[in-house]
């Protein structure tokens, strides 16, 4: 996979992220709290193969003192995703997996469990 990166505009990639979110059950989306979902072209330096990142306080870690904090961030990275895909269909699938993976972190599910469930 990914011998030649897929060419795709940022607008099309953002559209695919939106479509992936549309596939998440509305009941689950309604449970998400104080989180934004963003698209960036590249991950932080040193993490060039990172497809997505969850930054924040998982719902399972929030206590009575959770208040007045900035929203959690789920970031989906365009260039690394395109680099590991061979076709637009691959990008659609990878974006869907990455979106679900990062949303799961918001709900307190760790990488080990996600891999067990096939969302790693």
């Amino acid at each position: 996979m990914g011998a030649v990166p897929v060419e795709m505009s940022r607008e099309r990639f953002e559209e695919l992220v939106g479509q992936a979110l549309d596939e998440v059950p509305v009941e689950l989306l309604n449970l998400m709290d104080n989180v934004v979902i963003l698209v960036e072209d590249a991950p932080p330096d040193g993490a060039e193969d990172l497809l997505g990142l969850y930054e924040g306080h998982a719902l399972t870690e929030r206590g009575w003192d959770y208040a007045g904090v900035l929203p959690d961030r789920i970031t989906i990275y365009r260039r690394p995703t395109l680099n590991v895909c061979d076709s637009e269909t691959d990008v659609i699938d990878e974006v869907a997996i990455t979106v679900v993976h990062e949303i799961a972190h918001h709900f307190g599910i760790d990488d080990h469990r996600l891999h067990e469930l096939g969302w790693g």
Side-chain angles (χ1 to χ4, degrees):
M1 268 180 101
V4 176
V6 175
E7 295 289 328
M8 181 179 292
S9 70
R10 183 180 173 108
E11 292 77 20
R12 176 66 177 140
F13 189 83
E14 288 175 350
E15 185 179 300
L16 296 180
V17 171
Q19 289 174 1
L21 286 168
D22 289 345
E23 296 299 317
V24 176
V26 68
E27 298 85 5
L28 197 58
L29 290 176
N30 287 340
L31 294 173
M32 293 175 66
D33 182 48
N34 199 31
V35 61
V36 297
I37 299 173
L38 308 165
V39 171
E40 296 290 340
D41 284 333
D45 288 341
E48 286 76 25
D49 58 350
L50 190 65
L51 305 184
L53 180 64
Y54 171 74
E55 299 171 286
H57 303 278
L59 293 176
T60 55
E61 297 172 359
R62 296 178 185 180
W64 62 269
D65 58 344
Y66 178 83
V69 299
L70 293 173
D72 293 0
R73 294 170 45 117
I74 291 174
T75 308
I76 309 299
Y77 297 108
R78 185 176 71 93
R79 284 196 300 246
T81 302
L82 298 179
N83 286 340
V84 299
C85 294
D86 291 320
S87 67
E88 183 165 318
T89 301
D90 289 346
V91 176
I92 292 167
D93 293 343
E94 194 60 57
V95 165
I97 290 167
T98 304
V99 166
V100 168
H101 183 104
E102 300 309 329
I103 288 173
H105 287 321
H106 178 67
F107 286 99
I109 302 171
D110 65 18
D111 282 328
H112 178 73
R113 183 65 180 137
L114 284 167
H115 284 277
E116 290 178 345
L117 296 170
W119 292 97

